[in-house]
Amino acid sequence: MPAEDSRGEESPRFGGGGEQSGAPTARRIVLGAQLRRLREACDISRAEAGYAIRGSDSKISRMELGRVGFKERDVVDLLSMYGVNDEEERALFIEMVRKSNERGWWHRYSGAMPNWFQDFVGLEESSSLIQSYELQFVPGLMQTEDYIRAVVSRGRPELLDQDGERRVALRLRRQKVLTRQGAPRLWAVVDESVLHRPIGGPRVLREQIEHLLELTKQPNVTLQVLPYHMSGYAAEGAFSVLRFAEPTLPDIVYIEHLSGALYLDRVEELEVYGRVIDRLAVDAETPDRSRQMLAKYRQEI
């Protein structure tokens, strides 16, 4: 789960691809990927391209990976170097620069999360399918406000400071992605232990389970419970996979660890996690059976 999605937050490796619409983060990746293809088609090295815009090969690398904002002057100079002289085509690139530099709604929460997590939120906003596996918490997009407060405050919601309140507000705002027009599909697998862990106390847990039952009535939300006897076989830890309708943007696997996080997008890495996702779908209870389990646990609390 994203660090701000279920627990806290902290620093990744991020790589390549693109997406034609959606949040600024995805637009940057699209623009960077297109510039990379133009450069490679001209057999120009990153160092040569960097020199042309008064930069370095590492600057070109960051631009092509969508990890930094774009300056119109730099893109104009690169287009000239790459032989893109058609005025209409150049105008399209300049428009992409403008859109990629727009601020997403999450910018006003920037003080409540690290810069790298802003990239995750942007990609989440642009995704067509969000897949997650969670062993300790209810996925962040499915948490109630009281559950969020318990997680963010480490069990002491009465001690939440202003920064903590902003993190709560951020997560609640992110959840709107599931109800907006063109909402992505959310497919989540949670370990059975999550439904018994009394985050926030019995009342909060009961209300959280009720919320899950309501959420899973939405056609774009699927929840499967991984029973105790299958826990730990398919995957060793929590992760999320973001998939996109735009073919030029690769799938992204997100993995959190104690001191930061990783974004994985290499083919061999995606294949591994693709197999894990398939295995989890088989090992977990069906969506209908999972709803029955939720209803049963709600009555027992």
Side-chain angles (χ1 to χ4, degrees):
M1 286 293 86
E4 174 54 28
D5 191 359
S6 57
R7 313 163 182 73
E9 316 124 55
E10 291 337 298
S11 155
R13 175 179 63 75
F14 195 162
E19 203 264 322
Q20 190 59 44
S21 61
T25 303
R27 293 181 184 127
R28 284 204 313 268
I29 296 175
V30 169
L31 178 54
Q34 293 186 0
L35 290 173
R36 184 188 71 244
R37 286 194 289 269
L38 288 172
R39 177 180 61 77
E40 292 175 345
C42 296
D43 197 25
I44 295 173
S45 70
R46 285 197 299 264
E48 291 170 326
Y51 182 80
I53 61 170
R54 302 152 298 278
S56 62
D57 59 343
S58 62
K59 178 177 179 178
I60 295 296
S61 178
R62 291 193 299 272
M63 291 172 64
E64 292 180 350
L65 292 174
R67 298 180 65 179
V68 294
F70 291 85
K71 294 180 180 179
E72 182 175 324
R73 182 183 67 175
D74 289 343
V75 174
V76 168
D77 289 347
L78 289 174
L79 291 176
S80 297
M81 186 181 195
Y82 300 158
V84 179
N85 299 311
D86 181 81
E87 289 302 320
E88 290 188 6
E89 187 174 1
R90 289 169 72 92
L92 288 174
F93 273 95
I94 299 308
E95 178 66 8
M96 288 181 68
V97 171
R98 185 186 66 77
K99 289 184 175 180
S100 72
N101 289 329
E102 291 175 350
R103 290 178 172 179
W105 61 260
W106 53 92
H107 177 76
R108 60 181 173 272
Y109 297 99
S110 58
M113 58 179 168
N115 291 335
W116 62 261
F117 191 69
Q118 295 183 44
D119 283 342
F120 178 84
V121 178
L123 291 169
E124 183 179 68
E125 284 281 315
S126 301
S127 64
S128 60
L129 172 63
I130 302 169
Q131 296 173 292
S132 65
Y133 173 53
E134 184 59 75
L135 296 97
Q136 187 171 1
F137 300 100
V138 169
L141 292 179
M142 307 177 87
Q143 294 175 3
T144 65
E145 182 172 350
D146 284 344
Y147 192 99
I148 296 171
R149 288 179 176 279
V151 173
V152 169
S153 67
R154 294 177 172 82
R156 300 293 299 277
E158 71 279 5
L159 299 181
L160 271 181
D161 58 14
Q162 186 175 7
D163 287 343
E165 292 290 352
R166 294 187 69 205
R167 290 171 62 192
V168 172
L170 168 63
R171 196 170 305 175
L172 289 171
R173 176 61 181 81
R174 282 178 49 226
Q175 293 177 356
K176 293 183 179 181
V177 72
L178 296 179
T179 54
R180 64 165 167 76
Q181 185 176 7
R185 290 169 50 215
L186 172 63
W187 178 84
V189 175
V190 299
D191 192 86
E192 186 176 0
S193 63
V194 171
L195 305 178
H196 293 278
R197 189 168 292 112
I199 301 293
R203 178 191 61 81
V204 172
L205 180 60
R206 182 174 60 253
E207 292 175 354
Q208 176 63 71
I209 291 177
E210 290 172 351
H211 182 61
L212 292 175
L213 284 167
E214 286 300 313
L215 269 181
T216 52
K217 292 179 182 179
Q218 295 179 202
N220 62 319
V221 177
T222 300
L223 177 67
Q224 290 182 261
V225 177
L226 186 69
Y228 283 127
H229 68 276
M230 296 303 297
S231 179
Y233 291 119
E236 298 177 353
F239 64 92
S240 292
V241 181
L242 300 180
R243 303 184 188 275
F244 306 88
E246 172 57 50
T248 57
L249 186 63
D251 297 342
I252 299 291
V253 175
Y254 178 95
I255 306 171
E256 181 185 351
H257 53 83
L258 288 176
S259 60
L262 296 175
Y263 291 81
L264 310 179
D265 65 354
R266 294 173 181 160
V267 173
E268 60 271 23
E269 296 166 335
L270 296 175
E271 288 178 350
V272 170
Y273 282 90
R275 290 194 295 270
V276 171
I277 285 288
D278 292 342
R279 185 71 254 172
L280 286 169
V282 173
D283 290 348
E285 300 288 358
T286 65
D288 286 343
R289 172 59 184 155
S290 296
R291 282 182 53 82
Q292 293 172 15
M293 294 173 70
L294 288 171
K296 178 176 180 289
Y297 296 152
R298 177 184 58 183
Q299 292 177 346
E300 293 176 349
I301 298 175

